[in-house]
Amino acid sequence: MAFPWRSPGSRPLVIAHRGGAALAGENTAAAFAAAVAAGADAVETDVRVTADGALVCVHDADLLRLAGDPRSVAALDLATLRAVLPGLLTLAEAIAASAPLGLLLDVKLKDARVLPGILGAVDTQDAGGRVLLGLRDTALIVAARALTDLPVLAFAADPDGAAAARGVGADWFRLWQGDLSGERVAAVRAAGLRLAVMVGQPRAEPLPGYPPFPVGHVDGDGLARIAQCAPDAVLLDDPRLLKVGTPSTARHAPVVSPG
């Protein structure tokens, strides 16, 4: 059964950021399982490539934050990465572990050569009905559109880039919580795009005008303001905040790596 990426319902989809990083280790099978138990609709995970060509689910370009190791993901082979990060998932493993939830793949790379491998992994597990491709580059969206009809979320750097994203084939547009405004939401809607809101700070160093929480974290006031914009999806570390209204446990958490 297809996940409603193309036709979300009256309430926003709850997407567990980095698999549900407030629930267990980020981008791990444990986080995915906890997200299911917490009532999330979907999980988001990050995709990078190792030195030996394996697709893996790691957010940062290097291992410094997660393991105190300055080496980059791209410079290490899969076996070495597994030794440093025991909970590491390959993309194939993440696709299997995320079922039956929706799966947002945040592709951290801009090289179109990564796309066939990602699409092949999705096809191998017949997971196309659950997947939303998150792409960060206009050219990459164009390349994806030549290969697949999977829905695409534009992780655009420009919060005013909705029309441009739609012009190259995106179906969704991401706005950071701090960039929300009536005008921008209207522009997303006018472009015919679905709106996904990412909570928290977009940078390790807090930006003026943004909520005083790290990426993925939010309080009740922030959720209330987001709700006024009627988004189609919200990305946050703790899906319980939207499912059952529990208090945020992240209010005093330190700012961590940007989303």
Side-chain angles (χ1 to χ4, degrees), residues 3 11 13-16 19 23 32 34-43 101-102 239-240 243:
F3 188 80
R11 66 165 180 81
L13 297 169
V14 179
I15 305 177
L23 308 175
F32 288 7
V36 172
D41 298 302
V43 293
L101 300 181
R240 297 170 298 183
K243 298 304 290 186

mmCIF file of all heavy atoms in Angstrom, residues 3 11 13-16 19 23 32 34-43 101-102 239-240 243:
data_model
loop_
_atom_site.group_PDB
_atom_site.id
_atom_site.type_symbol
_atom_site.label_atom_id
_atom_site.label_comp_id
_atom_site.label_asym_id
_atom_site.label_seq_id
_atom_site.Cartn_x
_atom_site.Cartn_y
_atom_site.Cartn_z
ATOM 1 N N PHE A 3 2.283 4.958 0.599
ATOM 2 C CA PHE A 3 2.261 5.950 1.655
ATOM 3 C C PHE A 3 1.754 7.271 1.061
ATOM 4 O O PHE A 3 2.050 7.581 -0.094
ATOM 5 C CB PHE A 3 3.679 6.122 2.218
ATOM 6 C CG PHE A 3 3.738 6.984 3.441
ATOM 7 C CD1 PHE A 3 3.402 6.472 4.671
ATOM 8 C CD2 PHE A 3 4.113 8.314 3.347
ATOM 9 C CE1 PHE A 3 3.455 7.270 5.810
ATOM 10 C CE2 PHE A 3 4.173 9.114 4.463
ATOM 11 C CZ PHE A 3 3.835 8.592 5.703
ATOM 12 N N ARG A 11 -4.279 16.286 8.763
ATOM 13 C CA ARG A 11 -3.274 16.627 9.777
ATOM 14 C C ARG A 11 -1.887 16.440 9.187
ATOM 15 O O ARG A 11 -1.692 15.669 8.241
ATOM 16 C CB ARG A 11 -3.425 15.742 11.012
ATOM 17 C CG ARG A 11 -3.113 14.271 10.760
ATOM 18 C CD ARG A 11 -2.929 13.513 12.063
ATOM 19 N NE ARG A 11 -2.639 12.114 11.828
ATOM 20 C CZ ARG A 11 -1.454 11.617 11.511
ATOM 21 N NH1 ARG A 11 -0.426 12.430 11.348
ATOM 22 N NH2 ARG A 11 -1.277 10.318 11.331
ATOM 23 N N LEU A 13 1.752 15.071 8.503
ATOM 24 C CA LEU A 13 2.479 13.830 8.717
ATOM 25 C C LEU A 13 3.590 14.074 9.730
ATOM 26 O O LEU A 13 4.274 15.090 9.682
ATOM 27 C CB LEU A 13 3.075 13.333 7.400
ATOM 28 C CG LEU A 13 2.086 12.956 6.300
ATOM 29 C CD1 LEU A 13 2.818 12.742 4.984
ATOM 30 C CD2 LEU A 13 1.294 11.726 6.692
ATOM 31 N N VAL A 14 3.775 13.140 10.638
ATOM 32 C CA VAL A 14 4.800 13.246 11.668
ATOM 33 C C VAL A 14 6.019 12.445 11.201
ATOM 34 O O VAL A 14 5.959 11.212 11.094
ATOM 35 C CB VAL A 14 4.287 12.708 13.017
ATOM 36 C CG1 VAL A 14 5.384 12.816 14.079
ATOM 37 C CG2 VAL A 14 3.040 13.468 13.450
ATOM 38 N N ILE A 15 7.106 13.154 10.909
ATOM 39 C CA ILE A 15 8.317 12.518 10.391
ATOM 40 C C ILE A 15 9.386 12.555 11.470
ATOM 41 O O ILE A 15 9.792 13.623 11.935
ATOM 42 C CB ILE A 15 8.826 13.221 9.126
ATOM 43 C CG1 ILE A 15 7.724 13.286 8.063
ATOM 44 C CG2 ILE A 15 10.060 12.500 8.581
ATOM 45 C CD1 ILE A 15 8.118 14.034 6.801
ATOM 46 N N ALA A 16 9.853 11.386 11.881
ATOM 47 C CA ALA A 16 10.891 11.278 12.907
ATOM 48 C C ALA A 16 12.248 11.611 12.290
ATOM 49 O O ALA A 16 12.788 10.839 11.492
ATOM 50 C CB ALA A 16 10.894 9.879 13.514
ATOM 51 N N GLY A 19 15.561 9.415 12.032
ATOM 52 C CA GLY A 19 14.986 8.171 12.507
ATOM 53 C C GLY A 19 14.263 8.269 13.827
ATOM 54 O O GLY A 19 13.601 7.325 14.250
ATOM 55 N N LEU A 23 14.790 9.415 20.576
ATOM 56 C CA LEU A 23 14.306 8.143 21.101
ATOM 57 C C LEU A 23 15.409 7.101 21.243
ATOM 58 O O LEU A 23 15.332 6.218 22.100
ATOM 59 C CB LEU A 23 13.202 7.598 20.190
ATOM 60 C CG LEU A 23 12.055 8.565 19.863
ATOM 61 C CD1 LEU A 23 11.106 7.924 18.861
ATOM 62 C CD2 LEU A 23 11.319 8.967 21.130
ATOM 63 N N PHE A 32 14.399 3.694 14.606
ATOM 64 C CA PHE A 32 13.259 3.405 13.729
ATOM 65 C C PHE A 32 12.173 2.652 14.494
ATOM 66 O O PHE A 32 10.986 2.965 14.389
ATOM 67 C CB PHE A 32 13.704 2.568 12.528
ATOM 68 C CG PHE A 32 14.528 3.309 11.502
ATOM 69 C CD1 PHE A 32 14.976 4.596 11.720
ATOM 70 C CD2 PHE A 32 14.873 2.689 10.319
ATOM 71 C CE1 PHE A 32 15.738 5.271 10.775
ATOM 72 C CE2 PHE A 32 15.630 3.342 9.360
ATOM 73 C CZ PHE A 32 16.077 4.630 9.585
ATOM 74 N N ALA A 34 11.649 2.617 17.690
ATOM 75 C CA ALA A 34 11.042 3.505 18.673
ATOM 76 C C ALA A 34 10.085 4.493 18.008
ATOM 77 O O ALA A 34 9.058 4.858 18.586
ATOM 78 C CB ALA A 34 12.125 4.258 19.436
ATOM 79 N N ALA A 35 10.411 4.922 16.796
ATOM 80 C CA ALA A 35 9.523 5.824 16.069
ATOM 81 C C ALA A 35 8.202 5.138 15.739
ATOM 82 O O ALA A 35 7.132 5.751 15.819
ATOM 83 C CB ALA A 35 10.202 6.310 14.797
ATOM 84 N N VAL A 36 8.275 3.879 15.367
ATOM 85 C CA VAL A 36 7.042 3.113 15.130
ATOM 86 C C VAL A 36 6.207 3.072 16.405
ATOM 87 O O VAL A 36 5.006 3.360 16.398
ATOM 88 C CB VAL A 36 7.366 1.677 14.666
ATOM 89 C CG1 VAL A 36 6.093 0.838 14.623
ATOM 90 C CG2 VAL A 36 8.029 1.690 13.303
ATOM 91 N N ALA A 37 6.844 2.750 17.529
ATOM 92 C CA ALA A 37 6.135 2.654 18.804
ATOM 93 C C ALA A 37 5.563 3.999 19.238
ATOM 94 O O ALA A 37 4.519 4.056 19.901
ATOM 95 C CB ALA A 37 7.070 2.111 19.878
ATOM 96 N N ALA A 38 6.240 5.090 18.863
ATOM 97 C CA ALA A 38 5.803 6.427 19.253
ATOM 98 C C ALA A 38 4.689 6.952 18.367
ATOM 99 O O ALA A 38 4.131 8.017 18.645
ATOM 100 C CB ALA A 38 6.984 7.393 19.219
ATOM 101 N N GLY A 39 4.364 6.246 17.309
ATOM 102 C CA GLY A 39 3.259 6.659 16.452
ATOM 103 C C GLY A 39 3.640 7.547 15.293
ATOM 104 O O GLY A 39 2.779 8.198 14.704
ATOM 105 N N ALA A 40 4.926 7.609 14.945
ATOM 106 C CA ALA A 40 5.335 8.406 13.792
ATOM 107 C C ALA A 40 4.713 7.853 12.515
ATOM 108 O O ALA A 40 4.442 6.656 12.395
ATOM 109 C CB ALA A 40 6.854 8.406 13.670
ATOM 110 N N ASP A 41 4.503 8.737 11.563
ATOM 111 C CA ASP A 41 4.018 8.307 10.249
ATOM 112 C C ASP A 41 5.164 7.885 9.345
ATOM 113 O O ASP A 41 4.995 7.015 8.484
ATOM 114 C CB ASP A 41 3.262 9.461 9.566
ATOM 115 C CG ASP A 41 2.028 9.896 10.339
ATOM 116 O OD1 ASP A 41 1.162 9.042 10.561
ATOM 117 O OD2 ASP A 41 1.953 11.078 10.725
ATOM 118 N N ALA A 42 6.319 8.534 9.530
ATOM 119 C CA ALA A 42 7.457 8.279 8.656
ATOM 120 C C ALA A 42 8.744 8.548 9.433
ATOM 121 O O ALA A 42 8.729 9.190 10.480
ATOM 122 C CB ALA A 42 7.392 9.179 7.418
ATOM 123 N N VAL A 43 9.836 8.047 8.894
ATOM 124 C CA VAL A 43 11.161 8.381 9.432
ATOM 125 C C VAL A 43 11.971 9.031 8.329
ATOM 126 O O VAL A 43 11.793 8.741 7.138
ATOM 127 C CB VAL A 43 11.906 7.145 9.980
ATOM 128 C CG1 VAL A 43 11.216 6.600 11.213
ATOM 129 C CG2 VAL A 43 12.051 6.065 8.919
ATOM 130 N N LEU A 101 6.625 2.164 7.864
ATOM 131 C CA LEU A 101 6.505 3.617 7.837
ATOM 132 C C LEU A 101 6.913 4.195 6.485
ATOM 133 O O LEU A 101 7.608 3.561 5.696
ATOM 134 C CB LEU A 101 7.389 4.229 8.920
ATOM 135 C CG LEU A 101 7.112 3.845 10.368
ATOM 136 C CD1 LEU A 101 8.071 4.570 11.290
ATOM 137 C CD2 LEU A 101 5.665 4.150 10.742
ATOM 138 N N GLY A 102 6.498 5.440 6.248
ATOM 139 C CA GLY A 102 7.057 6.193 5.146
ATOM 140 C C GLY A 102 8.529 6.438 5.399
ATOM 141 O O GLY A 102 8.994 6.415 6.542
ATOM 142 N N PRO A 239 8.771 12.278 17.832
ATOM 143 C CA PRO A 239 7.415 12.260 17.267
ATOM 144 C C PRO A 239 6.322 12.254 18.313
ATOM 145 O O PRO A 239 5.176 12.594 18.010
ATOM 146 C CB PRO A 239 7.404 10.973 16.433
ATOM 147 C CG PRO A 239 8.480 10.126 16.992
ATOM 148 C CD PRO A 239 9.543 11.073 17.481
ATOM 149 N N ARG A 240 6.652 11.916 19.559
ATOM 150 C CA ARG A 240 5.630 11.904 20.610
ATOM 151 C C ARG A 240 5.070 13.294 20.871
ATOM 152 O O ARG A 240 3.939 13.435 21.333
ATOM 153 C CB ARG A 240 6.219 11.326 21.903
ATOM 154 C CG ARG A 240 6.657 9.875 21.793
ATOM 155 C CD ARG A 240 7.444 9.436 23.013
ATOM 156 N NE ARG A 240 8.670 10.217 23.161
ATOM 157 C CZ ARG A 240 9.572 10.009 24.111
ATOM 158 N NH1 ARG A 240 9.381 9.056 25.001
ATOM 159 N NH2 ARG A 240 10.666 10.749 24.177
ATOM 160 N N LYS A 243 2.254 13.476 18.464
ATOM 161 C CA LYS A 243 1.261 12.400 18.542
ATOM 162 C C LYS A 243 0.446 12.456 19.823
ATOM 163 O O LYS A 243 -0.753 12.221 19.823
ATOM 164 C CB LYS A 243 1.952 11.035 18.434
ATOM 165 C CG LYS A 243 2.681 10.820 17.131
ATOM 166 C CD LYS A 243 1.787 10.990 15.925
ATOM 167 C CE LYS A 243 0.776 9.862 15.796
ATOM 168 N NZ LYS A 243 0.011 9.948 14.550
#
